[in-house]
Amino acid sequence: MRILHLLPNPFIFNPFHSKAFPIRNPKSFPKSLSSTPVKSVLQWNRKPELAGDTPRVVVITSGKGGVGKTTTTANVGISLARLGFSVVAIDADVGLRNLDLLLGLENRVNYTVVEVLNGDCRLDQALVRDKRWSNFELLCISKPRSKLPIGFGGKALVWLVDALKARQEGCPDFIIIDCPAGIDAGFITAITPANEAILVTTPDITSLRDADRVTGLLECDGIRDIKMMVNRVRTDMIKGEDMMSVLDVQEMLGLALLGAIPEDSEVIRSTNRGYPLVLNKPPTLAGLAFEQAAWRLVEHDSMTAVMVEEEPKKRGFFSFFGV
């Protein structure tokens, strides 16, 4: 029987088990995986090394709505802050912003980018600092149910990113842009200042077709560093061949795999509480997957999905009786 195994760095995750188990020594791999090359193993006593020039401007997009872009932005952003990096998250969804709700900061957003551009406030007044992690800040483009000025576009967002770079407080390590759904003007505006992208998708054919289209648009805009995040993975459906596996998704899109997030009912609870999933104690499987994805993002690392053969169970004399 062919079973899918995911070999993330720095964790090993088997989607047909209910636990993600860390591997400290490559010799402790299962025999069926002993021949698989592993780039790195988890080192609990070190901080991930930031690769690339700062600030890293990352846009999180998908094309299709409802696949988990905002959830990914909130959890990856908080995970980066917990790792000690300064993060500015920009909610670029005009009129339908939700990132502040997922972070529990909806009552603290007094000014937005529109007021900054109009000269009604300073940039530091529009930045909302998280109460739990002072190195994480939120910046909203506009207020709910409002419209942007006609002149607002990609150049305005590029100016905003340049202003964040020139702040007296220092340049942030990461600028994460939560892209709106679709491929219209809002999408073009959000991807303009970015130099790398995280493409969030789910293992269904409609999401994959939109993701493939968005990949082409990102490459046309000059963004070559594109990684994929597969969300809402249900291992029971994969095992029953009712859902595409992560390996199938990776082969269809041809992108580096940043993370595979299992389906988790705790996501809805954390969203309603305005409390990011990665802060839950004890941690959930989906929360651990987001933290691992943030670690890989810092070091420009990726996961590897492979297919291995599972040895059939030996049938004894009592197997006739169902034992």
Side-chain angles (χ1 to χ4, degrees), residues 23-34 36 38 41:
I23 300 296
R24 294 178 180 271
N25 188 346
K27 295 181 180 180
S28 58
F29 285 130
K31 294 181 179 179
S32 59
L33 301 179
S34 58
T36 305
V38 179
V41 294

Side-chain angles (χ1 to χ4, degrees), residues 59 61-65 69 92-96 148 152-154 157 178-192 210 213-214 217-218 221:
V59 61
T61 182
S62 69
K64 188 176 185 297
K69 293 184 298 296
D93 198 343
V94 178
L96 294 174
L148 283 179
F152 188 89
L157 203 55
D178 184 17
C179 182
I183 55 174
D184 54 3
F187 168 80
I188 300 300
T189 299
I191 69 173
T192 299
D210 291 351
R213 172 63 173 157
V214 168
L217 294 175
L218 292 172
D221 199 64

Side-chain angles (χ1 to χ4, degrees), residues 21 39 79 94 118 124 139 161 185 196 199 204 218 221 233 257 292 319:
F21 51 98
K39 296 180 184 178
S79 296
V94 178
N118 292 335
D124 61 310
L139 181 61
V161 170
E196 53 186 296
L199 188 65
D204 60 85
L218 292 172
D221 199 64
V233 178
L257 183 60
Q292 296 166 29
S319 60

Side-chain angles (χ1 to χ4, degrees), residues 135-247:
N135 53 342
F136 180 89
E137 295 174 299
L138 171 66
L139 181 61
C140 297
I141 293 292
S142 66
K143 294 181 179 179
R145 299 180 298 277
S146 65
K147 296 182 179 180
L148 283 179
I150 297 178
F152 188 89
K155 291 184 178 180
L157 203 55
V158 170
W159 173 88
L160 182 64
V161 170
D162 291 338
L164 290 172
K165 295 178 183 178
R167 282 197 309 168
Q168 294 181 352
E169 295 84 354
C171 174
D173 296 315
F174 285 90
I175 299 176
I176 303 178
I177 303 173
D178 184 17
C179 182
I183 55 174
D184 54 3
F187 168 80
I188 300 300
T189 299
I191 69 173
T192 299
N195 47 42
E196 53 186 296
I198 298 176
L199 188 65
V200 182
T201 185
T202 53
D204 60 85
I205 194 66
T206 56
S207 179
L208 292 177
R209 185 170 70 172
D210 291 351
D212 186 59
R213 172 63 173 157
V214 168
T215 301
L217 294 175
L218 292 172
E219 292 176 348
C220 290
D221 199 64
I223 302 176
R224 302 294 179 181
D225 188 358
I226 307 173
K227 291 184 175 62
M228 174 181 61
M229 184 93 76
V230 184
N231 196 18
R232 295 177 182 169
V233 178
R234 290 190 56 179
T235 57
D236 56 334
M237 295 185 67
I238 294 176
K239 193 171 183 179
E241 299 183 354
D242 295 320
M243 175 182 283
M244 284 181 287
S245 67
V246 178
L247 180 60

